[in-house]
Amino acid sequence: MPLLPRLTVAAALTAALAPAAVLAQATECSIDLYKPAQLATAVLQIQGAAQNPEGEDAAKALRTAAGILTDDRRFASNPIGLAYARAQVYILWLHQDPAPESMTERDLNFGRDRERQIDLVHAADSLLSIVERAAPECESDVDRWRQSKPWNTRISEAYRLLGEGDLDGAEAMAKEAFRLDRRSPFVYNAFAQVAARRNNADEMMTQLDKAIELASKDTSLAETVLQLKTQYAQSLQSVAMAESDVAVRNQKLTRAARLYIEVGNADPAGADGPAYFSAATDIAMLTQDQALMDEFIQPLLEDPSVYPDLTLLIAAETSRLLNKNDNAMALYRSSLEKNPNIRDANFFLAYMLIEAKKPAEAMPLLDKLKTLDPGNPDNLMMQTLAARQVAETEREPRKRAELIRGVEAVMREESAMQQRVQINRFERRVEGAVISGSVENRGRAAKAFTLEFSFLDLEGNVVETVSATTPSADPKATVE
């Protein structure tokens, strides 16, 4: 199976770092920014600055607005509107290029202590928090200010520093972004990435939990939620495997497996679906959790149509290893309906049919195996077993003798084969594939073997052919 994809910085940020609008006020927000008249005048200046927030014209408009908003007594009838307008002034100063981190009251044209330094991020956050507590229905409107360019700049810088390995710098930038917006899953993911690189597993999981919780509230972040859950599952699995307490280990592994199943079921036909389900079944087999295995397998039995051939094959193999032969045979059949060229599905379904004394059903699968895997004498051995079963049930002597001669011919063909080719690994990838295995020299002299592999599409058409030559193998020896 291909490795599970980890959440990347680019993938994480794609959905959230588009420039945010700063002008519109949500229609459901109860805050009145136009009463009293002095507030309306200041807001017009703020809106003018927001149209083009970089440059001296914007700075002039912001200073004009600040001068109007300085005297609290003028706005005693609308203190929340005043706080909101002041916060917008601070946020828009942070849009400047270069953006100041702090300014004096003189430079802002705010207040009476002209030399006092104002931390713009802290001041904006404090005022927006007042607004949010007083008018929680304005949350989406406030978010447009919290998630505008200043937040963008800081969270992007945090991820850039993460990429460079500067954990202290990344953490500092993430904290700045956090002050502007505590509801962003990307901030918590940044904290998780820092914790992971510091080998602080508990902190990493805590931050990932919060990131998933917040991202799940935004339908536009559905893909990001899946990426976060995948990262969480991988991290939890890694942490669990280091646990010395088996009960604790299995509890964590089970949660990781259920996350893999959840992510896989979100897009069962996706390219990564089989990898998620493979990870879940590996855990279920390790923990011997029958309920977990059923959670994965039962939906595939009920409706195999939505799952790709590889996922069905994984479920079939798992069922076979658990001696649930009826399930395994049904799932092998379903996988072959999707892709009739799966070697293992043909082989094991034929084997199970022979065990069940149904050789006639196995014969077409064995014929298919001879074309798919011609270098493997095990296929011919299976064919002799099936043919013998057919011969044993034949009562007409002439036909039975003919069938026995056929068995003997296949046995001679199997005996004459100079090699046994075993494929140990085959991975489909988005581009290309990985294949590996071994060759046993069944001949009497040392020799190398040149193998030709044809890669087929679902219709059986050859899309590519490659060859490989093994090292020389002594008689009865096996080479990779």
Side-chain angles (χ1 to χ4, degrees), residues 122-272:
H122 179 77
D125 172 43
S126 297
L127 290 166
L128 290 175
S129 296
I130 291 170
V131 172
E132 289 164 333
R133 287 193 294 271
E137 76 280 2
C138 298
E139 180 179 294
S140 61
D141 182 55
V142 172
D143 280 348
R144 281 191 285 271
W145 289 91
R146 285 194 175 278
Q147 296 172 2
S148 60
K149 181 183 175 182
W151 178 82
N152 253 307
T153 300
R154 285 158 178 76
I155 194 64
S156 296
E157 181 66 5
Y159 278 95
R160 187 189 70 78
L161 292 170
L162 267 172
E164 293 182 354
D166 182 354
L167 301 185
D168 291 342
E171 184 177 41
M173 280 292 103
K175 286 180 177 178
E176 285 285 291
F178 175 81
R179 289 168 70 188
L180 284 169
D181 181 20
R182 295 170 181 78
R183 292 189 290 270
S184 166
F186 303 109
V187 172
Y188 293 95
N189 181 59
F191 289 143
Q193 300 282 357
V194 170
R197 298 187 194 190
R198 289 175 174 164
N199 296 315
N200 188 340
D202 291 340
E203 177 67 10
M204 173 188 65
M205 305 306 291
T206 297
Q207 297 296 344
L208 278 178
D209 253 337
K210 188 65 175 179
I212 292 169
E213 175 193 343
L214 291 168
S216 298
K217 296 178 181 179
D218 187 340
T219 56
S220 71
L221 297 181
E223 182 62 30
T224 297
V225 171
L226 296 179
Q227 292 167 336
L228 286 166
K229 286 182 177 180
T230 300
Q231 182 176 337
Y232 192 100
Q234 291 175 313
S235 301
L236 185 58
Q237 183 179 7
S238 178
V239 168
M241 293 308 296
E243 285 282 356
S244 57
D245 186 319
V246 174
V248 174
R249 182 202 70 174
N250 289 353
Q251 183 179 27
K252 291 180 177 179
L253 285 174
T254 297
R255 185 182 180 194
R258 289 201 165 100
L259 281 169
Y260 285 133
I261 293 171
E262 184 180 337
V263 172
N265 278 324
D267 183 17
D272 294 319

Side-chain angles (χ1 to χ4, degrees), residues 346-352 354 363 366 369 377-387:
N346 280 282
F347 182 90
F348 287 111
L349 180 55
Y351 178 82
M352 298 176 84
I354 292 170
M363 283 299 192
L366 294 168
L369 277 170
D378 292 345
N379 302 329
L380 297 176
M381 289 292 292
M382 290 258 289
Q383 197 169 27
T384 64
L385 292 173

